[in-house]
Amino acid sequence: MKIESIQNKKIKERAKLHTKKERDKTNLFIIEGFHLIQEALYAHQLEELFILESIENPFDFPCFSCTQSVINKLSNQISNAKMIGVCRKKEFKTTKFKKILFLDDVQDPGNVGTIVRSAYSFGMDAIFASEKCADVYNLKTIQSTQGALFHLPYFVTNLKKEISFFQEKGIPIYATALHQQAEYLQDIIIPDSFGIVVGNEGQGIHKDIIDMCDSCIKIEMNAFESLNVAIAASICMYTFQYKK
């Protein structure tokens, strides 16, 4: 089917997915580009495919052939886009997670996306995010995940409740903090099961959440006192996964 007008009913409806309100209402979200669409197909989450009329469909999936103006209506890019996917959010079930990452009000979409990508790369089982974190289905966040979002369970929830739940299961929770009493990352003994909490870019982790955690950890550094939250989270996850 060919779509030539930005006034097309389907296009007008799908363009609304640039807002969180519409994404929450429909459980749908937009992705852009070959790699993300391919990952969505692998994860069986692709619902619709819109491709520029001058390009041959590279996927074994039916598509809408669209003019450039129509593709641009669905895109968030400044330059002309070529292919757009509409995906359905996946409902992950809570299972016996052993390696968990908690995000406390991480607000930058790029940071959240990079953290999701690192969490998938370094073997985390799931991510639990507070409601004030950047929306993981924001297009900038999705692009930063490089498709990891399709493979890693991600829950938006009450962090205190979830931290208590895993502690009751005997899983120690570590807060990343710069407290003087915090242990250096290289000094801790890594358990088989664990949770790591990272916090807001400016304020860090809320004190009441830090107080809940079993211990605090910090990264050894020669110069600056703190790192970008995505970098710090990645270093912690890598260390917990591979330190012997």
Side-chain angles (χ1 to χ4, degrees), residues 1-210:
M1 178 180 175
K2 188 170 184 178
I3 302 178
E4 298 179 318
S5 172
I6 61 174
Q7 299 303 319
N8 176 277
K9 181 179 179 182
K10 179 178 286 292
I11 298 304
K12 291 172 71 174
E13 287 297 315
R14 295 300 179 247
K16 294 178 183 178
L17 293 174
H18 289 303
T19 68
K20 184 178 185 300
K21 179 180 178 180
E22 188 69 13
R23 293 193 294 269
D24 290 343
K25 174 183 173 183
T26 61
N27 281 325
L28 299 173
F29 61 96
I30 287 177
I31 59 174
E32 297 189 25
F34 179 88
H35 175 69
L36 285 174
I37 291 172
Q38 188 176 53
E39 290 296 322
L41 274 171
Y42 290 155
H44 306 290
Q45 286 181 249
L46 188 65
E47 293 276 312
E48 295 172 345
L49 180 60
F50 302 85
I51 293 184
L52 185 63
E53 58 187 349
S54 60
I55 297 176
E56 185 176 348
N57 184 357
F59 306 104
D60 184 18
F61 193 91
C63 74
F64 295 95
S65 178
C66 304
T67 60
Q68 187 68 70
S69 62
V70 170
I71 292 291
N72 288 348
K73 179 72 174 178
L74 298 175
S75 172
N76 236 10
Q77 296 185 47
I78 297 175
S79 58
N80 290 335
K82 294 181 174 63
M83 53 186 70
I84 303 286
V86 173
C87 300
R88 184 165 298 281
K89 296 179 183 180
K90 187 173 182 178
E91 293 186 6
F92 291 100
K93 295 181 179 179
T94 302
T95 57
K96 296 180 180 180
F97 301 132
K98 294 184 177 181
K99 300 175 182 179
I100 312 107
L101 184 67
F102 299 93
L103 308 185
D104 183 21
D105 293 2
V106 180
Q107 296 185 326
D108 182 78
N111 283 338
V112 171
T114 299
I115 289 170
V116 172
R117 183 179 180 182
S118 293
Y120 183 57
S121 299
F122 297 141
M124 302 300 285
D125 294 330
I127 295 176
F128 290 84
S130 65
E131 293 182 354
K132 291 185 179 180
C133 282
D135 182 20
V136 76
Y137 296 104
N138 173 297
L139 191 52
K140 183 178 179 180
T141 311
I142 294 170
Q143 290 170 333
S144 296
T145 73
Q146 284 293 297
L149 174 64
F150 295 116
H151 309 291
L152 185 68
Y154 189 100
F155 305 92
V156 177
T157 184
N158 182 302
L159 289 195
K160 292 182 184 179
K161 178 181 176 181
E162 298 299 338
I163 288 171
S164 294
F165 171 82
F166 287 107
Q167 287 175 322
E168 289 171 3
K169 298 288 185 181
I171 296 177
I173 308 297
Y174 298 84
T176 54
L178 295 175
H179 293 175
Q180 288 186 345
Q181 65 269 31
E183 295 181 84
Y184 282 119
L185 193 56
Q186 292 297 329
D187 292 338
I188 66 171
I189 298 173
I190 308 295
D192 292 333
S193 300
F194 55 82
I196 302 172
V197 187
V198 297
N200 175 270
E201 290 87 347
Q203 305 300 319
I205 303 170
H206 285 95
K207 184 179 183 303
D208 52 353
I209 291 182
I210 289 178

